Amino acid sequence: MNKIRIGIVGYGNLGKSVELGIRQNEDMELVGIFTRRNPSTIETVTRAVAVYTMDEAKKMTEQIDVMVLCGGSMSDLPFQGPEFASLFNTVDGYDNHAQIPDYFSAMNENALEAQKICIIAGGWDPGMFSINRLYAEAILPEGNTYTFWGKGVSQGHSDAIRRIKGVMKGKQYTIPIENAIEAVRRGDRPELSTREKHHRVCFVVAEEGTDKEQIEHEIKTMPNYFADYDTEIHFITEEELEKNHPGLPHGGLIIRHGRTGLHEEHNHVIEYQLALDSNPDFTANVLVAFARAAHRLNQEGVAGAKTVVDIAPAYLSSKSAEELRKSII
Ligand code: NDP
Protein backbone atom coordinates (compact mmCIF):
# COMPACT_ATOMS: atom_id res chain seq x y z
CA MET A 1 0.00 0.00 0.00
CA ASN A 2 1.31 3.44 -0.93
CA LYS A 3 1.20 5.70 2.09
CA ILE A 4 -0.42 9.12 1.90
CA ARG A 5 2.44 11.61 1.97
CA ILE A 6 1.74 14.56 4.26
CA GLY A 7 3.43 17.93 4.73
CA ILE A 8 2.85 20.36 7.62
CA VAL A 9 2.84 24.10 6.94
CA GLY A 10 3.49 26.13 10.10
CA TYR A 11 4.85 24.61 13.27
CA GLY A 12 2.97 25.91 16.31
CA ASN A 13 0.69 23.97 18.69
CA LEU A 14 -1.37 22.57 15.84
CA GLY A 15 1.63 21.69 13.65
CA LYS A 16 3.20 19.74 16.52
CA SER A 17 -0.05 17.88 17.15
CA VAL A 18 -0.37 16.96 13.45
CA GLU A 19 3.15 15.52 13.62
CA LEU A 20 1.96 13.28 16.47
CA GLY A 21 -1.44 12.54 14.92
CA ILE A 22 0.09 11.13 11.73
CA ARG A 23 1.91 8.51 13.82
CA GLN A 24 -1.47 6.99 14.74
CA ASN A 25 -2.39 6.38 11.08
CA GLU A 26 -0.55 3.56 9.37
CA ASP A 27 -1.62 4.63 5.90
CA MET A 28 0.19 7.99 6.24
CA GLU A 29 3.73 9.29 6.42
CA LEU A 30 5.09 12.72 7.25
CA VAL A 31 7.42 14.03 4.55
CA GLY A 32 8.35 17.33 6.14
CA ILE A 33 7.52 20.46 8.09
CA PHE A 34 7.57 23.89 6.41
CA THR A 35 8.19 27.03 8.42
CA ARG A 36 8.86 30.74 8.01
CA ARG A 37 11.54 30.50 10.66
CA ASN A 38 15.08 29.23 10.15
CA PRO A 39 14.59 25.42 9.90
CA SER A 40 17.80 24.75 11.85
CA THR A 41 16.26 26.49 14.89
CA ILE A 42 13.20 24.23 14.99
CA GLU A 43 13.24 21.28 17.33
CA THR A 44 10.54 18.86 16.25
CA VAL A 45 8.60 16.80 18.79
CA THR A 46 9.61 13.42 17.39
CA ARG A 47 13.04 14.58 16.17
CA ALA A 48 12.53 12.29 13.17
CA VAL A 49 11.31 14.66 10.52
CA ALA A 50 12.89 17.06 8.05
CA VAL A 51 12.20 20.80 8.39
CA TYR A 52 12.21 23.05 5.30
CA THR A 53 11.71 26.69 4.46
CA MET A 54 8.37 27.66 2.93
CA ASP A 55 10.09 28.31 -0.40
CA GLU A 56 11.30 24.73 -0.63
CA ALA A 57 7.69 23.50 -0.70
CA LYS A 58 7.28 24.72 -4.29
CA LYS A 59 9.87 22.19 -5.42
CA MET A 60 8.17 19.31 -3.60
CA THR A 61 4.80 19.13 -5.34
CA GLU A 62 5.57 15.60 -6.57
CA GLN A 63 6.61 14.39 -3.11
CA ILE A 64 3.61 15.48 -1.06
CA ASP A 65 -0.01 14.38 -1.49
CA VAL A 66 -1.63 16.70 1.07
CA MET A 67 -0.40 19.77 2.96
CA VAL A 68 -1.96 20.30 6.39
CA LEU A 69 -2.02 24.07 6.88
CA CYS A 70 -1.39 24.88 10.55
CA GLY A 71 -0.88 28.65 10.40
CA GLY A 72 -2.99 31.02 12.48
CA SER A 73 -6.44 31.89 11.14
CA MET A 74 -6.15 35.59 11.74
CA SER A 75 -3.07 36.53 9.78
CA ASP A 76 -1.44 33.39 8.28
CA LEU A 77 -4.11 31.35 6.51
CA PRO A 78 -5.67 34.20 4.49
CA PHE A 79 -2.33 34.37 2.62
CA GLN A 80 -0.84 30.91 3.04
CA GLY A 81 -4.10 29.13 2.16
CA PRO A 82 -4.57 30.43 -1.41
CA GLU A 83 -0.81 30.23 -2.06
CA PHE A 84 -0.69 26.54 -1.16
CA ALA A 85 -4.03 25.83 -2.88
CA SER A 86 -2.26 26.59 -6.18
CA LEU A 87 0.26 23.82 -5.56
CA PHE A 88 -1.13 21.12 -3.26
CA ASN A 89 -4.22 19.43 -1.93
CA THR A 90 -4.71 21.07 1.48
CA VAL A 91 -6.69 20.82 4.69
CA ASP A 92 -6.92 23.52 7.35
CA GLY A 93 -8.73 24.54 10.52
CA TYR A 94 -9.60 28.09 9.44
CA ASP A 95 -11.84 29.24 12.27
CA ASN A 96 -12.74 32.83 11.54
CA HIS A 97 -16.45 32.00 11.11
CA ALA A 98 -17.51 35.34 9.63
CA GLN A 99 -14.81 35.23 6.93
CA ILE A 100 -15.32 31.61 5.85
CA PRO A 101 -17.27 32.48 2.64
CA ASP A 102 -14.48 34.83 1.46
CA TYR A 103 -11.75 32.38 2.38
CA PHE A 104 -13.65 29.62 0.57
CA SER A 105 -13.84 31.72 -2.62
CA ALA A 106 -10.11 32.51 -2.60
CA MET A 107 -9.23 28.84 -2.03
CA ASN A 108 -11.75 27.59 -4.59
CA GLU A 109 -10.44 29.76 -7.40
CA ASN A 110 -6.83 28.65 -6.97
CA ALA A 111 -7.67 25.01 -6.26
CA LEU A 112 -9.83 24.70 -9.37
CA GLU A 113 -7.13 26.19 -11.52
CA ALA A 114 -4.56 23.77 -10.12
CA GLN A 115 -7.05 20.85 -10.08
CA LYS A 116 -6.38 20.32 -6.37
CA ILE A 117 -8.85 19.87 -3.51
CA CYS A 118 -8.77 22.09 -0.43
CA ILE A 119 -10.85 21.15 2.59
CA ILE A 120 -11.24 24.25 4.74
CA ALA A 121 -12.53 24.99 8.24
CA GLY A 122 -11.85 21.54 9.73
CA GLY A 123 -11.21 20.97 13.43
CA TRP A 124 -14.01 20.95 16.00
CA ASP A 125 -15.67 24.36 15.72
CA PRO A 126 -15.84 24.88 12.84
CA GLY A 127 -15.47 21.22 11.95
CA MET A 128 -17.09 18.40 13.89
CA PHE A 129 -19.60 20.82 15.43
CA SER A 130 -20.59 22.02 11.95
CA ILE A 131 -21.21 18.45 10.79
CA ASN A 132 -23.28 17.69 13.87
CA ARG A 133 -25.31 20.89 13.56
CA LEU A 134 -26.08 19.91 9.98
CA TYR A 135 -27.17 16.35 10.84
CA ALA A 136 -29.30 17.59 13.74
CA GLU A 137 -31.06 20.31 11.72
CA ALA A 138 -31.64 18.07 8.69
CA ILE A 139 -33.17 15.33 10.85
CA LEU A 140 -35.20 17.63 13.12
CA PRO A 141 -36.15 20.54 10.86
CA GLU A 142 -38.56 21.86 13.50
CA GLY A 143 -36.51 22.88 16.51
CA ASN A 144 -33.67 24.93 17.98
CA THR A 145 -29.92 24.39 18.05
CA TYR A 146 -27.70 25.60 20.88
CA THR A 147 -23.92 25.61 21.09
CA PHE A 148 -22.07 25.79 24.39
CA TRP A 149 -18.28 25.99 24.62
CA GLY A 150 -16.07 24.84 27.48
CA LYS A 151 -15.09 24.37 30.06
CA GLY A 152 -11.88 25.16 28.27
CA VAL A 153 -9.06 27.53 27.50
CA SER A 154 -9.81 30.09 24.82
CA GLN A 155 -6.49 30.96 23.22
CA GLY A 156 -7.90 34.13 21.66
CA HIS A 157 -9.12 35.45 25.01
CA SER A 158 -5.91 34.40 26.76
CA ASP A 159 -3.95 36.37 24.13
CA ALA A 160 -6.21 39.37 24.66
CA ILE A 161 -5.42 39.39 28.39
CA ARG A 162 -1.69 39.12 27.73
CA ARG A 163 -1.81 42.23 25.55
CA ILE A 164 -2.83 44.40 28.54
CA LYS A 165 -0.05 46.53 30.00
CA GLY A 166 1.30 45.02 33.22
CA VAL A 167 0.17 41.46 32.44
CA MET A 168 2.99 38.93 32.21
CA LYS A 169 0.97 35.79 31.63
CA GLY A 170 -2.68 34.87 31.53
CA LYS A 171 -5.10 32.08 30.83
CA GLN A 172 -8.82 32.38 30.21
CA TYR A 173 -11.41 29.65 30.71
CA THR A 174 -14.77 29.78 28.97
CA ILE A 175 -17.40 28.11 31.17
CA PRO A 176 -20.91 27.21 30.06
CA ILE A 177 -23.75 28.05 32.46
CA GLU A 178 -25.31 24.83 33.74
CA ASN A 179 -28.83 26.28 34.25
CA ALA A 180 -28.91 27.29 30.60
CA ILE A 181 -27.87 23.81 29.47
CA GLU A 182 -30.54 22.23 31.66
CA ALA A 183 -33.24 24.56 30.28
CA VAL A 184 -32.28 23.58 26.73
CA ARG A 185 -32.28 19.86 27.57
CA ARG A 186 -35.74 20.17 29.15
CA GLY A 187 -37.06 21.63 25.91
CA ASP A 188 -37.84 25.11 27.27
CA ARG A 189 -36.45 26.58 24.04
CA PRO A 190 -35.05 29.56 25.96
CA GLU A 191 -33.87 32.75 24.28
CA LEU A 192 -30.40 33.09 25.77
CA SER A 193 -28.27 36.21 25.75
CA THR A 194 -24.48 35.95 25.50
CA ARG A 195 -24.20 36.52 29.27
CA GLU A 196 -26.74 33.79 30.01
CA LYS A 197 -24.84 31.10 28.10
CA HIS A 198 -21.22 31.43 29.26
CA HIS A 199 -19.07 33.12 31.81
CA ARG A 200 -15.35 33.74 31.76
CA VAL A 201 -12.68 33.08 34.38
CA CYS A 202 -9.21 34.59 34.01
CA PHE A 203 -5.99 33.69 35.80
CA VAL A 204 -3.54 36.54 35.53
CA VAL A 205 0.13 36.89 36.43
CA ALA A 206 0.79 40.61 36.85
CA GLU A 207 4.13 42.40 36.84
CA GLU A 208 5.24 43.52 40.28
CA GLY A 209 3.97 46.93 41.31
CA THR A 210 1.25 47.18 38.64
CA ASP A 211 -2.23 48.41 39.44
CA LYS A 212 -4.31 45.24 39.62
CA GLU A 213 -7.59 47.13 39.81
CA GLN A 214 -6.74 48.83 36.52
CA ILE A 215 -5.94 45.46 34.87
CA GLU A 216 -9.21 44.04 36.19
CA HIS A 217 -11.13 47.02 34.83
CA GLU A 218 -9.47 46.74 31.41
CA ILE A 219 -10.28 43.04 31.15
CA LYS A 220 -13.91 43.33 32.27
CA THR A 221 -14.69 46.19 29.90
CA MET A 222 -12.84 44.89 26.84
CA PRO A 223 -15.30 45.04 23.93
CA ASN A 224 -16.06 41.81 21.99
CA TYR A 225 -13.97 39.73 24.39
CA PHE A 226 -15.28 40.32 27.94
CA ALA A 227 -17.72 43.24 28.10
CA ASP A 228 -20.77 41.08 27.32
CA TYR A 229 -19.94 38.41 29.92
CA ASP A 230 -19.73 38.02 33.66
CA THR A 231 -15.98 37.73 34.15
CA GLU A 232 -14.09 36.53 37.21
CA ILE A 233 -10.44 37.48 37.62
CA HIS A 234 -7.84 35.83 39.84
CA PHE A 235 -4.32 37.16 40.25
CA ILE A 236 -1.89 34.32 40.82
CA THR A 237 1.87 33.72 40.74
CA GLU A 238 3.76 32.38 37.75
CA GLU A 239 4.40 29.14 39.65
CA GLU A 240 0.68 28.70 40.37
CA LEU A 241 -0.13 29.25 36.72
CA GLU A 242 2.39 26.62 35.56
CA LYS A 243 1.33 24.13 38.25
CA ASN A 244 -2.46 24.50 38.25
CA HIS A 245 -3.21 25.48 34.65
CA PRO A 246 -1.10 23.37 32.31
CA GLY A 247 -2.16 22.34 28.80
CA LEU A 248 -4.89 23.53 26.48
CA PRO A 249 -8.08 21.67 27.37
CA HIS A 250 -11.33 22.61 25.63
CA GLY A 251 -14.60 21.17 24.44
CA GLY A 252 -18.23 21.94 24.15
CA LEU A 253 -21.72 20.78 23.48
CA ILE A 254 -24.22 21.02 20.64
CA ILE A 255 -27.84 20.45 21.58
CA ARG A 256 -30.71 20.30 19.12
CA HIS A 257 -34.14 20.14 20.63
CA GLY A 258 -36.76 19.20 18.06
CA ARG A 259 -40.44 18.30 17.95
CA THR A 260 -42.39 15.96 15.68
CA GLY A 261 -45.97 14.66 15.50
CA LEU A 262 -49.24 16.16 14.27
CA HIS A 263 -49.32 18.57 17.21
CA GLU A 264 -45.54 18.59 17.77
CA GLU A 265 -46.19 16.46 20.83
CA HIS A 266 -43.00 14.35 20.53
CA ASN A 267 -39.78 15.84 21.87
CA HIS A 268 -36.35 14.79 20.65
CA VAL A 269 -32.94 15.81 21.90
CA ILE A 270 -29.72 15.34 19.96
CA GLU A 271 -26.47 16.05 21.81
CA TYR A 272 -22.90 15.98 20.61
CA GLN A 273 -20.32 16.62 23.29
CA LEU A 274 -16.55 17.00 23.21
CA ALA A 275 -14.35 17.01 26.32
CA LEU A 276 -10.83 17.53 25.06
CA ASP A 277 -7.68 17.25 27.14
CA SER A 278 -5.77 18.93 24.34
CA ASN A 279 -7.49 21.24 21.86
CA PRO A 280 -4.60 21.13 19.34
CA ASP A 281 -4.27 17.31 19.48
CA PHE A 282 -7.96 16.81 18.76
CA THR A 283 -8.07 19.49 16.07
CA ALA A 284 -5.00 17.95 14.44
CA ASN A 285 -6.54 14.49 14.40
CA VAL A 286 -9.64 15.86 12.65
CA LEU A 287 -7.43 17.52 10.04
CA VAL A 288 -5.44 14.31 9.53
CA ALA A 289 -8.64 12.31 8.88
CA PHE A 290 -9.76 14.95 6.37
CA ALA A 291 -6.32 14.80 4.72
CA ARG A 292 -7.11 11.18 3.87
CA ALA A 293 -10.40 12.28 2.32
CA ALA A 294 -8.66 15.04 0.36
CA HIS A 295 -6.17 12.60 -1.12
CA ARG A 296 -8.80 10.04 -2.07
CA LEU A 297 -11.19 12.55 -3.57
CA ASN A 298 -8.47 14.20 -5.61
CA GLN A 299 -7.43 10.80 -6.93
CA GLU A 300 -11.03 10.43 -8.10
CA GLY A 301 -10.68 13.73 -9.95
CA VAL A 302 -12.45 16.02 -7.47
CA ALA A 303 -11.04 19.56 -7.28
CA GLY A 304 -11.93 22.89 -5.70
CA ALA A 305 -12.56 24.08 -2.17
CA LYS A 306 -14.82 22.05 0.12
CA THR A 307 -15.92 22.44 3.70
CA VAL A 308 -16.19 19.50 6.06
CA VAL A 309 -19.92 19.10 5.42
CA ASP A 310 -19.25 18.47 1.72
CA ILE A 311 -17.26 15.31 2.44
CA ALA A 312 -19.00 11.93 2.74
CA PRO A 313 -17.93 10.30 6.05
CA ALA A 314 -16.57 7.08 4.54
CA TYR A 315 -13.75 9.07 2.93
CA LEU A 316 -12.37 9.85 6.40
CA SER A 317 -11.81 6.26 7.37
CA SER A 318 -8.77 4.13 6.66
CA LYS A 319 -11.15 1.19 6.32
CA SER A 320 -12.50 0.09 2.93
CA ALA A 321 -16.21 0.45 2.17
CA GLU A 322 -16.54 -3.32 2.58
CA GLU A 323 -14.89 -3.24 6.02
CA LEU A 324 -17.12 -0.35 7.06
CA ARG A 325 -20.25 -2.27 6.06
CA LYS A 326 -19.09 -5.13 8.31
CA SER A 327 -17.80 -3.20 11.31
CA ILE A 328 -19.56 0.18 11.53
CA ILE A 329 -22.87 0.08 9.68
P1 NDP B 1 0.20 28.99 17.04
O1 NDP B 1 0.17 30.42 17.41
O2 NDP B 1 0.83 28.02 17.99
O3 NDP B 1 0.94 28.83 15.62
C1 NDP B 1 0.60 29.62 14.52
C2 NDP B 1 1.85 29.88 13.68
O4 NDP B 1 2.74 30.71 14.41
C3 NDP B 1 2.62 28.61 13.37
O5 NDP B 1 2.15 28.02 12.20
C4 NDP B 1 4.07 29.08 13.27
O6 NDP B 1 4.40 29.41 11.92
C5 NDP B 1 4.09 30.33 14.15
N1 NDP B 1 4.74 30.04 15.44
C6 NDP B 1 4.39 29.09 16.33
N2 NDP B 1 5.22 29.09 17.40
C7 NDP B 1 6.12 30.07 17.16
C8 NDP B 1 7.24 30.58 17.86
N3 NDP B 1 7.62 30.03 19.03
N4 NDP B 1 7.91 31.62 17.33
C9 NDP B 1 7.54 32.16 16.16
N5 NDP B 1 6.50 31.70 15.41
C10 NDP B 1 5.80 30.68 15.91
O7 NDP B 1 -1.30 28.58 16.73
P2 NDP B 1 -1.98 27.14 16.93
O8 NDP B 1 -1.13 26.11 16.29
O9 NDP B 1 -2.37 26.97 18.34
O10 NDP B 1 -3.33 27.31 16.11
C11 NDP B 1 -3.34 27.51 14.71
C12 NDP B 1 -4.74 27.85 14.26
O11 NDP B 1 -5.56 26.72 14.37
C13 NDP B 1 -5.44 28.92 15.11
O12 NDP B 1 -5.20 30.20 14.59
C14 NDP B 1 -6.88 28.56 15.01
O13 NDP B 1 -7.49 29.41 14.09
C15 NDP B 1 -6.89 27.14 14.44
N6 NDP B 1 -7.69 26.26 15.30
C16 NDP B 1 -8.88 25.81 14.82
C17 NDP B 1 -9.69 25.02 15.59
C18 NDP B 1 -10.97 24.51 15.04
O14 NDP B 1 -11.70 23.85 15.77
N7 NDP B 1 -11.31 24.77 13.81
C19 NDP B 1 -9.32 24.64 16.96
C20 NDP B 1 -8.00 25.11 17.36
C21 NDP B 1 -7.24 25.91 16.55
P3 NDP B 1 5.89 29.22 11.37
O15 NDP B 1 6.31 27.81 11.71
O16 NDP B 1 5.77 29.45 9.92
O17 NDP B 1 6.73 30.23 12.07
Side-chain angles (χ1 to χ4, degrees):
M1 178 186 63
N2 283 339
K3 293 199 178 203
I4 305 171
R5 299 163 305 169
I6 307 283
I8 295 173
V9 176
Y11 197 63
N13 298 310
L14 191 55
K16 288 174 187 160
S17 292
V18 171
E19 179 185 356
L20 294 173
I22 290 166
R23 288 154 61 94
Q24 297 183 333
N25 292 276
E26 281 179 9
D27 59 338
M28 296 185 181
E29 64 183 336
L30 179 56
V31 175
I33 290 163
F34 299 85
T35 179
R36 288 164 296 191
R37 284 165 282 162
N38 178 349
S40 66
T41 63
I42 305 277
E43 201 168 297
T44 61
V45 180
T46 62
R47 292 162 195 261
V49 56
V51 185
Y52 301 96
T53 62
M54 290 287 182
D55 271 352
E56 287 175 285
K58 294 188 195 101
K59 296 177 244 149
M60 296 175 71
T61 51
E62 297 302 317
Q63 288 152 257
I64 291 171
D65 297 311
V66 186
M67 280 290 199
V68 184
L69 307 182
C70 299
S73 292
M74 202 196 289
S75 40
D76 300 338
L77 291 179
F79 303 100
Q80 289 176 352
E83 205 174 296
F84 278 88
S86 298
L87 299 166
F88 296 95
N89 298 314
T90 67
V91 293
D92 67 57
Y94 186 74
D95 70 355
N96 190 346
H97 290 257
Q99 301 298 323
I100 284 173
D102 289 345
Y103 183 64
F104 180 93
S105 297
M107 295 295 277
N108 195 39
E109 196 177 313
N110 290 6
L112 282 176
E113 205 179 318
Q115 284 300 290
K116 300 291 181 191
I117 183 169
C118 298
I119 303 177
I120 68 157
W124 60 279
D125 197 3
M128 296 312 297
F129 272 16
S130 322
I131 293 169
N132 281 280
R133 279 191 279 259
L134 184 147
Y135 278 132
E137 288 178 15
I139 293 162
L140 294 173
E142 194 52 50
N144 300 67
T145 307
Y146 298 83
T147 304
F148 294 95
W149 294 280
K151 181 188 177 184
V153 174
S154 159
Q155 287 169 251
H157 288 79
S158 302
D159 285 343
I161 299 173
R162 291 193 288 265
R163 271 185 260 125
I164 293 173
K165 194 164 173 275
V167 172
M168 272 166 63
K169 291 186 174 177
K171 218 161 208 184
Q172 192 270 182
Y173 292 89
T174 306
I175 301 176
I177 293 174
E178 277 305 316
N179 287 348
I181 295 177
E182 285 315 312
V184 171
R185 281 186 175 136
R186 270 198 311 273
D188 295 356
R189 297 196 190 193
E191 292 277 334
L192 297 168
S193 67
T194 303
R195 197 179 295 276
E196 287 167 330
K197 289 209 303 185
H198 299 95
H199 71 272
R200 302 195 176 278
V201 178
C202 310
F203 293 91
V204 180
V205 181
E207 282 166 16
E208 251 187 62
T210 45
D211 182 350
K212 289 183 181 163
E213 272 180 30
Q214 176 61 25
I215 291 175
E216 190 159 343
H217 174 76
E218 279 191 46
I219 294 175
K220 286 187 171 173
T221 56
M222 195 185 294
N224 302 322
Y225 284 86
F226 295 100
D228 298 331
Y229 298 85
D230 289 333
T231 302
E232 210 177 290
I233 296 163
H234 302 274
F235 289 95
I236 58 174
T237 63
E238 205 167 346
E239 293 71 40
E240 284 170 327
L241 188 77
E242 305 295 330
K243 183 164 162 257
N244 301 329
H245 304 280
L248 296 169
H250 216 324
L253 181 63
I254 301 266
I255 309 177
R256 173 95 176 152
H257 191 278
R259 292 192 173 132
T260 61
L262 187 58
H263 306 290
E264 295 198 348
E265 67 276 25
H266 303 303
N267 289 288
H268 308 273
V269 180
I270 298 175
E271 287 195 12
Y272 178 74
Q273 181 159 22
L274 292 174
L276 313 174
D277 239 7
S278 161
N279 180 358
D281 278 7
F282 183 83
T283 303
N285 280 18
V286 176
L287 297 187
V288 167
F290 276 95
R292 178 181 292 117
H295 177 58
R296 284 185 177 165
L297 282 161
N298 193 246
Q299 282 193 316
E300 291 176 10
V302 178
K306 307 281 169 198
T307 72
V308 289
V309 300
D310 300 320
I311 309 298
Y315 282 93
L316 303 176
S317 175
S318 61
K319 292 180 178 166
S320 68
E322 194 181 18
E323 283 173 291
L324 288 176
R325 282 193 289 275
K326 277 193 209 147
S327 65
I328 301 264
I329 311 297

